[in-house]
Amino acid sequence: MASTLGVAVVGFGWMGRVHTQAYARIAHHYPRLGLRPELIRVAEEVPGRAEEAAAQFGFASTTRDWREVAADPRVRAVSITAPNFLHREIGVAMARAGKHIWIEKPVGLTAEDAGAVADAVAEAGVQGTVGFNYRNAPAVEAARELIASGEIGTVTHVRVRLFSDYAAHPEGALTWRYERARGGSGVLGDLASHGVDLARFLLGDIASLTADTAVFVPERARPTGATAGHSRATGGELGPVENEDYVNCLLRFASGARGVLEACRVSVGEQNNYGFEVHGTRGAVFWDFRRMNELGVSRGTTYQDQPVSTVYVGPGAGEYGAFQPGAANGMGYDDLKVVEAYHFLRSIDEGTPYGTTLTDAVRSAAALEAMTRSAETGTWVDLA
């Protein structure tokens, strides 16, 4: 018989909704899990939004102050999906209150922020899971196993791309996302953080890097009211975009492999074009998030003119079997967050970390800071 675990969600924008839906689906996909989440509380400072969430999803109570969640003895685990600049304060407070935390990336605005949350989690003896969801795609896990098995030989180089158009419209509102003090490093924290995690997940630690960044939409209109997601604003006072729209980066891995990581939030014509190409001495593996359940695989001994085959992942890959009974049945973005919720709850149930941890968040944040430093100085930066 599964035990009940009281959970809360702090911040109910789009990502708060995604976390809540993931909790609701856990019993459907993981019936043998020893814990069942119970939606105890939702915290959101925008008037009326928490009440709407409670009415739709069944939270037992609402608040506009996340500190009430930290003080609530019914809550044992918390999803932190508030804006980035609040992650450190909320994450540390929740851990110190004895709450397990599932926190979205980036974990704060700096590596110091991520480290503070990691330290608080370790000191409190609670579990901490981080929202690097793309590594949860069964095809990505299959690619990692293929690489580790040596089927494509020794990895020589990788390209990781994360292109999107969510900030491409010139009327996109000047929200906290574009401010250095509240949104941090812009596309680095938003998209390149995922790229760093994917690169590390597939190839291991990054030894050094050099990067270049740019802002392509330098001014935006300030919003006149509450915003959610990537809303538009017209006629408002113009203000400067303070953080990066674009980054490209050369990587050197501890293994000796080389890499290129590129991310952009203003790429007109690109909608969530995320993926990677990993090349080895005997083959290659390719993944595109928009065709999430497929891999392009080249392997053999032909070398020159060696063909690429399309492989449809199935129940033997990652957590695919919890969602679909046979290969080539589609999975989607929200399914990856259900996998993440499962890792979080399993970590709590067994007392052993599963999935992405605060250590991964700290290492990703260190790489992002190295990119910023490199772009400022024009030099290579070591991550040792």
Side-chain angles (χ1 to χ4, degrees):
M1 188 73 175
S3 301
T4 298
L5 181 80
V7 302
V9 176
V10 175
F12 208 82
W14 168 63
M15 189 53 67
R17 179 179 296 270
V18 171
H19 277 228
T20 303
Q21 291 170 168
Y23 286 131
R25 294 175 56 191
I26 279 290
H28 303 160
H29 298 283
Y30 297 98
R32 295 182 178 83
L33 183 64
L35 292 176
R36 288 287 177 270
E38 180 182 3
L39 300 177
I40 297 297
R41 203 155 201 175
V42 56
E44 171 55 62
E45 65 176 12
V46 176
R49 192 178 286 175
E51 289 73 19
E52 291 176 6
Q56 181 175 0
F57 294 102
F59 286 96
S61 57
T62 67
T63 180
R64 291 180 64 182
D65 187 350
W66 60 263
R67 294 167 185 83
E68 293 184 9
V69 173
D72 193 332
R74 300 172 299 167
V75 175
R76 293 179 53 206
V78 181
S79 280
I80 301 171
T81 53
N84 300 349
F85 63 94
L86 296 172
H87 285 189
R88 174 177 180 164
E89 182 182 9
I90 298 174
V92 169
M94 293 300 175
R96 288 177 177 171
K99 319 293 188 188
H100 305 283
I101 64 171
W102 175 13
I103 186 168
E104 276 304 315
K105 57 83 225 168
V107 180
L109 304 181
T110 64
E112 182 184 356
D113 286 350
V117 178
D119 289 344
V121 165
E123 290 166 6
V126 295
Q127 297 296 325
T129 294
V130 182
F132 289 123
N133 45 271
Y134 297 109
R135 66 154 68 185
N136 296 328
V140 174
E141 295 206 44
R144 185 184 192 224
E145 292 182 5
L146 185 148
I147 293 165
S149 72
E151 286 197 55
I152 65 170
T154 300
V155 172
T156 53
H157 61 282
V158 59
R159 175 175 178 254
V160 182
R161 69 185 185 283
L162 299 108
F163 299 144
S164 188
D165 64 354
Y166 67 77
H169 203 290
E171 293 179 0
L174 187 69
T175 64
W176 60 267
R177 295 179 183 277
Y178 302 100
E179 298 175 10
R180 182 72 62 183
R182 297 196 295 166
S185 56
V187 76
L188 277 73
D190 192 21
L191 294 182
S193 59
H194 281 298
V196 171
D197 186 67
L198 280 173
R200 290 187 60 250
F201 185 66
L202 295 169
L203 272 66
D205 285 337
I206 299 167
S208 60
L209 58 79
T210 186
D212 184 33
T213 63
V215 177
F216 296 134
V217 183
E219 289 187 321
R220 296 180 183 273
R222 301 185 188 281
T224 56
T227 61
H230 307 290
S231 53
R232 303 271 181 87
T234 56
E237 178 189 358
L238 291 179
V241 172
E242 298 174 351
N243 54 25
E244 295 82 355
D245 287 330
Y246 171 83
V247 61
N248 67 59
C249 184
L250 298 180
L251 308 170
R252 291 173 179 164
F253 292 87
S255 66
R258 298 299 195 261
V260 176
L261 189 158
E262 191 176 14
C264 185
R265 64 187 181 186
V266 296
S267 295
V268 176
E270 301 281 14
Q271 297 86 41
N272 298 330
N273 181 1
Y274 310 152
F276 57 76
E277 302 102 43
V278 181
H279 293 266
T281 53
R282 293 206 313 269
V285 58
F286 310 90
W287 179 71
D288 186 329
F289 169 65
R290 298 166 302 178
R291 304 177 70 90
M292 193 177 81
N293 306 292
E294 301 178 16
L295 283 178
V297 180
S298 178
R299 52 191 164 189
T301 56
T302 306
Y303 299 101
Q304 188 177 5
D305 298 329
Q306 185 163 286
V308 176
S309 301
T310 298
V311 176
Y312 299 99
V313 297
E319 294 295 324
Y320 186 99
F323 298 85
Q324 299 294 347
N329 286 290
M331 287 179 62
Y333 177 90
D334 284 9
D335 296 328
L336 303 186
K337 302 307 278 190
V338 176
V339 174
E340 206 165 271
Y342 166 64
H343 288 155
F344 179 46
L345 296 173
R346 185 181 177 190
S347 298
I348 297 169
D349 188 35
E350 299 182 15
T352 300
Y354 289 94
T356 49
T357 67
L358 270 302
T359 297
D360 295 308
V362 170
R363 290 180 178 171
S364 174
L368 300 182
E369 288 194 354
M371 291 179 196
T372 300
R373 200 154 63 247
S374 174
E376 292 171 348
T377 62
T379 60
W380 281 86
V381 177
D382 292 334
L383 274 73

